[in-house]
Amino acid sequence: MSDYGHDLLFGSFITPTNAAPERVVGLAQLSEQAGLDLATFQDHPYQPGFLDTWTLLSWVAARTERIRLAPNVANLPLRPPAVLARSVASLDLLSGGRVELGLGSGAFWDAIEAMGGRRLTPGQGVDALREAIGIIRALWDTTDRTRVDLPGEHWSAVGAKRGPAPAHPVGIWVGAYKPRMLRLTGELADGWLPSLSYLQSLQDLDDANARIDDAAQAAGRAPTAVRRLLNVGGQLAPRPTGNLLSGPPQQWVEELAVLALEHGISAFIVGGDDPTLLATVGQEIAPAVRELVAAERGTRGTAPVPAPAARA
């Protein structure tokens, strides 16, 4: 049983289809109006049916006021980390501190290579991600007056000027599934961001949490330094269907509370592009989950844990 005690976040995972761009923006605005904390978008620059994710995030930031925004997750092989660092910091400044960074090592290598990216093995992808996180954090650290000097095998920043610093400590949330990536997450990341559909069972959540915890402790970090986020899918139905997150709102409330209290998840990002579902999650389900989790934590005597602070 794992409950890291973090405050609960709820968000949307919106498909950035370019066939109806105003609908995409409208779903982000609806997410804000419904009280959700996050609006996120997948990042596949090689997909001609999608809007460019960073352009979309910038546009949505200008069309919203409160909601936090993130790529889910940024495609590192096609977004050089030094440029990505400045893009993130710039949008965070422009939006008043509303940007987080979901980051992935890459997939769909044929398509990445077709767009000019370099094909990497899984092991190389982990190494490249490690180098990238180091460069991104170094460029954000304007308290150091020296230039960034981080030569690497896959990504380098040698003699690069630092800055700008983001408006707030931006979290780096890593999409990870395999053991080496999970260990990197525990060692370096501010959050773990998998998709439930890519996991075989809830036991996979527990096993991954254990790997992250072990890696965090080996690096001298508390396991609570890593927020556990989860992309989830589902549907509203009048009666339970026997499937996870497929039924009436009360079923959603109970199952999301279990994921928080028993499996350590503190941020639920809902996919599906269904405006009714997003509105119901924000207005009805999220408040009830927060209430249920708070009550159970009170019974257990679980002390609240501050949201994980991004690492300098």
Side-chain angles (χ1 to χ4, degrees):
M1 179 176 69
S2 297
D3 176 11
Y4 299 94
H6 299 141
D7 59 314
L8 300 186
L9 302 177
F10 295 84
S12 56
F13 190 8
I14 301 166
T15 308
T17 178
N18 59 30
E22 279 306 310
R23 182 174 187 274
V24 175
V25 177
L27 286 171
Q29 293 172 318
L30 170 66
S31 299
E32 179 171 79
Q33 293 161 7
L36 295 176
D37 305 289
L38 295 163
T40 73
F41 305 90
Q42 57 190 289
D43 183 30
H44 298 287
Y46 38 76
Q47 171 53 267
F50 285 176
L51 297 160
D52 172 70
T53 294
W54 204 261
T55 305
L56 173 61
L57 286 165
S58 300
W59 184 264
V60 170
R63 298 281 296 274
T64 56
E65 297 179 355
R66 176 196 59 80
I67 199 164
R68 292 154 66 181
L69 306 168
N72 189 352
V73 292
N75 191 297
L76 181 60
L78 292 174
R79 299 198 182 275
V83 177
L84 182 60
R86 292 212 161 107
S87 297
V88 171
S90 296
L91 187 55
D92 198 53
L93 289 164
L94 288 165
S95 67
R98 293 193 287 128
V99 177
E100 310 295 344
L101 178 57
L103 193 57
S105 61
F108 307 105
W109 291 103
D110 289 346
I112 288 171
E113 200 169 36
M115 289 286 287
R118 178 186 171 193
R119 183 184 293 269
L120 300 177
T121 66
Q124 289 172 331
V126 176
D127 294 338
L129 183 59
R130 179 182 296 277
E131 292 173 355
I133 291 173
I135 289 170
I136 291 168
R137 288 215 171 100
L139 288 173
W140 288 345
D141 181 11
T142 56
T143 63
D144 190 333
R145 296 184 179 275
T146 66
R147 296 197 181 196
V148 175
D149 187 15
L150 291 174
E153 181 180 353
H154 306 286
W155 301 110
S156 295
V158 180
K161 294 181 179 179
R162 298 176 189 266
H168 87 294
V170 172
I172 297 179
W173 301 338
V174 172
Y177 299 93
K178 300 297 185 181
R180 281 193 62 192
M181 283 286 287
L182 292 168
R183 289 196 294 270
L184 180 147
T185 300
E187 180 184 349
L188 295 177
D190 305 302
W192 175 45
L193 177 53
S195 294
L196 184 59
S197 60
Y198 288 177
L199 302 172
Q200 297 298 313
S201 68
L202 294 182
Q203 183 62 48
D204 287 352
L205 278 178
D206 297 338
D207 293 344
N209 276 331
R211 289 184 185 275
I212 292 169
D213 292 352
D214 289 346
Q217 291 171 334
R221 309 176 71 198
T224 54
V226 184
R227 180 188 284 279
R228 319 302 160 108
L229 309 97
L230 188 64
N231 294 320
V232 299
Q235 61 180 347
L236 294 173
R239 292 174 296 278
T241 67
N243 296 320
L244 184 67
L245 301 179
S246 181
Q250 185 58 34
Q251 177 185 334
W252 278 70
V253 170
E254 293 169 359
E255 292 177 346
L256 292 178
V258 168
L259 285 168
L261 294 165
E262 307 296 337
H263 303 283
I265 304 302
S266 62
F268 302 97
I269 304 176
V270 180
D273 300 334
D274 179 351
T276 299
L277 175 58
L278 295 181
T280 303
V281 170
Q283 297 169 358
E284 183 177 348
I285 294 173
V289 175
R290 288 189 171 106
E291 182 177 355
L292 182 57
V293 169
E296 180 61 25
R297 285 174 172 173
T299 299
R300 296 179 179 182
T302 303
V305 175
R311 302 183 74 187

